[in-house]
Amino acid sequence: MRGVASASGDRAPIRQRPGRAAGGGRTDRRSGHVDCRHRVGSRSDRCDPRLASMPARSRRSDRPAGLERGPRPRSPATAILAPYVPAAYPEKEPPSMTDPSTTPVRVRFAPSPTGALHVGGARTALFTWLFAHGEAKRAGRDGTFVLRIEDTDRNRLVPGATEAIFDVLAWFGLTWQEGPDVGGPHGPYVQSERADLYREHAEGLIAAGHAYRCFCTPERLAEVRREQEARKEPTGYDRRCRGLAGEEVAARLAAGERSVVRFAMPLDGETRFVDLIRGEIVYQNATLEDLVLLKGDGFPTYHLANVVDDHLMAITHITRGPEWIPSAPLHVRLYDAFGWAMPVLAHMPLILAPGGGKLSKRHGATAMEEFRSQGYLPEALANYLVLLGWSFDATTELFSREDLLEKFSLERVSASPATFDYAKLRWFNKQYINHVLGLDDLTARVVPFLAAAGLVDPAAADAGHPDFARLRPAVALLKDRIETLDEAPELLGYFLRDEADPYDPTLLIPKKLGLEETLDALLAVERTLEEVDLGDEAATEARFRALADELGLKPGQLFMPIRVAVTGRTQTAGLFETMRVIGRERCLGRVAAAAGVLRRHGDEALSADD
RNA sequence: GCCCCCAUAGUCUAGCGGCCCAGGACGUCACCCUUUCAAGGUGAAGAUCGCGGGUUCGAAUCCCGCUGGGGGUACCA
């Protein structure tokens, strides 16, 4: 048993892998070796004793009733819903905790208003939301999803970004119970409004010897780094100010010298924590830095703000992107320095760009707002995104929001990075448009895109609006052909305008047919159109098939010129249903126009020949 | 450089020691349906389970190493 607290509470020594003595190791997540993080002799009931003592396999049947549904979870056999895992090392008696089976689950999504919301962030938000509202509730726990704005970087602040995040999150179908706009018992929910809190906590850490004032200038830091690089040493702050005498600090402070607050990382030993989806991760403290907690401008860094807020807001599970794993040991140490209970950590898997690396504009849309304006449905995007790193079983792929609330579990989230596949997203979007959405729903959703192209009234999304009634039958015909909503103007335009789309006259002439014959056919079509009832598709089709016969043409040879004349395109829905929806008057006008166009085209061709 | 994470077809994944000479989906290709394009149906190609050792009667599954990919390395989050 490596790195595992046994049932009796004994801590087995961690064996370092040969050749990696300075590095970390981790407990295998599948073996169920989970460090309950108690010091020797501490109360072992903080970890479910069954979990601590039983072999991994037999544990699974011992899960709480609410966690048994669906396929077996594949992450470490941590009691995932026991939130207050005591701080992660043995020097200190962990704080007492409330009954894990009834403690409400509180999670948060904490974007930074430095720009548009990225898909990766949105997926983290989705997983987090599903955990609170699905998994937690299934286990009989209250689940609260908190929205917090992390705007402590005053330089990168983008005006309007916060509102844009609210907006796109709402579009994505994520609701928050506490947040800047809705308030809540743990506010304010905007970090810039909590600056005093962070300062006080930083002072507390200094007083307790866990942090110190650092007067080193950015210039000196850069110089230190240069020297380290030149000597090929690991780079990092050299801790020059760590040993400063109290009097000197006071004097320099009094002199108004600018300073930051740094955390005093233990110089040796190790820091370990359990990542819910990866298992235990161990860091050697010697490799960790004295990171800045409070910046020169008085604002906290992410590290301080995050820990203070998560604790004050009673967050039980920290879900965030994988880029935070390397700073997790600092956070663990901070919780301990404050004497606070450590929330459960769960770092989501990375989303990679098609060629590898980070997803960027070069590959396509990256911001949620872009996906929205490109005509992706929020439910399709959610369905695609949830499957990027999570799966329910071997075959299910379409999940409604309700399905997800019923089936999603953080434990089945994969640790390995996933490549973003635009083609597959597109497929999901098609699935929802073609087969999931009802006709009225789809009609309403297409309206903003058509309105932007000036094709319908923006108010037409209302089913009572006359444009809605005009639009709906056309949408019915093109439903199976729309992949993204932004294609609507292109696909539906000729139903909404009086004329057909502009087209190349030669498209009117079918294969193996001359211009004259085509013109004759078109004139015959015009006459036939006069006498036919377009509302009766079957009869119309029969009549036109007969006409083809009379003209000595194959049906297809007749239908294509009609299609082009009536729509301006070679690819449409069924010809007769299309004509029905366009209506006789407009069809007649368009066929007549086509005949005219063809005649002129023929004249031009003749004169060109001369 | 240092630290950490990850590793099943081009991509997303199922798989938790025998049911797997590996299942599903996207993409690709073919055929069917057919007035065009879709949708739908059927089928095919595509994975020496990254490589090498080990444990075991038996390994995609457990262990070790290597390699590869990725993340972090800020008074950004």
Side-chain angles (χ1 to χ4, degrees), chain A residues 345-496:
Chain A
L345 284 174
H347 294 96
M348 303 300 119
L350 195 73
I351 295 180
L352 256 30
K358 280 184 183 164
L359 200 58
S360 74
K361 300 267 180 292
R362 187 161 52 84
H363 308 98
T366 55
M368 289 299 277
E369 182 47 50
E370 293 176 89
F371 288 99
R372 166 158 65 172
S373 65
Q374 287 178 14
Y376 287 95
L377 305 176
E379 42 278 80
L381 190 53
N383 200 145
Y384 172 70
L385 247 24
V386 83
L387 255 12
L388 211 54
W390 173 83
S391 67
F392 176 66
D393 57 21
T395 54
T396 318
E397 55 200 356
L398 249 31
F399 294 92
S400 66
R401 187 56 59 100
E402 292 66 40
D403 292 333
L404 291 176
L405 285 169
E406 200 175 296
K407 296 183 162 87
F408 179 83
S409 84
L410 228 34
E411 294 188 310
R412 282 191 61 83
V413 171
S414 157
S416 47
T419 306
F420 197 94
D421 181 354
Y422 287 94
K424 192 158 185 175
L425 200 216
R426 223 177 152 73
W427 179 82
F428 272 105
N429 211 51
K430 270 201 296 205
Q431 283 298 305
Y432 276 83
I433 290 176
N434 301 350
H435 304 300
V436 179
L437 250 44
L439 183 55
D440 287 340
D441 194 355
L442 179 59
T443 304
R445 296 214 209 194
V446 121
V447 165
F449 293 86
L450 294 171
L455 289 165
V456 297
D457 189 306
D462 187 306
H465 193 284
D467 273 0
F468 185 93
R470 211 156 62 87
L471 182 57
R472 200 184 115 111
V475 172
L477 296 191
L478 273 308
K479 196 170 161 42
D480 283 348
R481 279 153 256 249
I482 300 174
E483 295 192 354
T484 50
L485 299 178
D486 65 345
E487 297 168 342
E490 167 74 12
L491 256 21
L492 297 167
Y494 59 84
F495 288 100
L496 302 167

